[in-house]
């Protein structure tokens, strides 16, 4: 497999090419173009494209789009460049409510999210609610910013600033 990380669309059960399975070596059908079924998005380079719905981050097969779609940043003489935002998350009331439900169980995601590459699921949830300016998340963001370690507190403070309209 290419060295873009094992959490890529190339190994995801939502990639139509993989026919609903995460074991891409066994189930991959090269005659089917790579396409994200939960985002209705053609995937140009599936082994270097990522999102928070991947089985490594959401092993319970969450079909509601969480966060943006990211791409691999490439390499230069200094090594690997960070992933960058390729497509923003869709914005619907269903997605917002799902993110709020996930935020209610914030610590479950903090302790379950052990995949070492990319942004953690808990960070994506907090970040995305900030990007959406979701005011129903403000109280949780305040609590996280005051009671969690710096890593999550900083993300929550940035989200809260956006929610309150301070971009």
């Amino acid at each position: 497999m290419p060295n873009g990380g094992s959490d890529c669309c190339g190994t995801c059960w939502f990639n139509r090419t993989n026919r609903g399975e995460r074991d891409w070596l066994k189930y991959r059908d090269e005659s089917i173009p790579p396409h994200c079924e939960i985002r209705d998005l053609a995937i140009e380079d599936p082994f270097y494209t990522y999102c928070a719905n991947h089985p490594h981050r959401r092993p319970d097969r969450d079909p509601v789009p969480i966060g943006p779609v990211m791409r691999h940043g490439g390499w230069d003489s200094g090594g690997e460049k960070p992933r960058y935002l390729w497509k923003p998350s869709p914005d619907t009331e269903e997605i917002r409510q799902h993110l709020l439900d996930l935020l209610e169980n914030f610590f479950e995601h903090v302790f379950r999210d052990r995949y070492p590459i990319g942004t953690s699921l808990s960070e994506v949830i907090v970040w995305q609610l900030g990007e959406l300016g979701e005011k129903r998340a403000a109280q949780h963001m305040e609590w996280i910013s005051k009671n969690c370690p710096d890593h999550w507190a900083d993300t929550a403070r940035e989200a809260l600033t956006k929610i309150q309209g301070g971009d």
Side-chain angles (χ1 to χ4, degrees), residues 49-101:
T49 307
Y50 319 87
C51 86
N53 290 86
H54 189 278
H56 287 319
R57 299 190 190 287
R58 296 294 289 155
D60 54 352
R61 196 180 188 113
D62 190 346
V64 179
I66 300 170
V69 178
M70 308 295 285
R71 280 198 172 156
H72 188 267
W75 289 271
D76 60 19
S77 60
E80 190 172 356
K81 294 181 191 177
R83 296 174 180 185
Y84 65 91
L85 189 141
W86 178 48
K87 299 284 183 183
S89 174
D91 182 10
T92 67
E93 179 55 29
E94 176 191 13
I95 291 169
R96 286 175 180 243
Q97 188 57 58
H98 187 63
L99 290 166
L100 290 165
D101 293 344

Side-chain angles (χ1 to χ4, degrees), residues 151-167:
H151 183 66
W152 289 286
D154 291 344
T155 303
R157 276 191 286 278
E158 290 173 17
L160 188 58
T161 298
K162 290 179 180 179
I163 289 168
Q164 293 171 336
D167 266 343

Side-chain angles (χ1 to χ4, degrees), residues 52-53 57-58 62 66 102 106 109-110 113 119-126 152:
N53 290 86
R57 299 190 190 287
R58 296 294 289 155
D62 190 346
I66 300 170
L102 292 172
F106 177 78
H109 306 297
V110 167
D113 192 358
T119 306
S120 70
L121 178 63
S122 53
E123 282 181 277
V124 171
I125 293 165
V126 169
W152 289 286

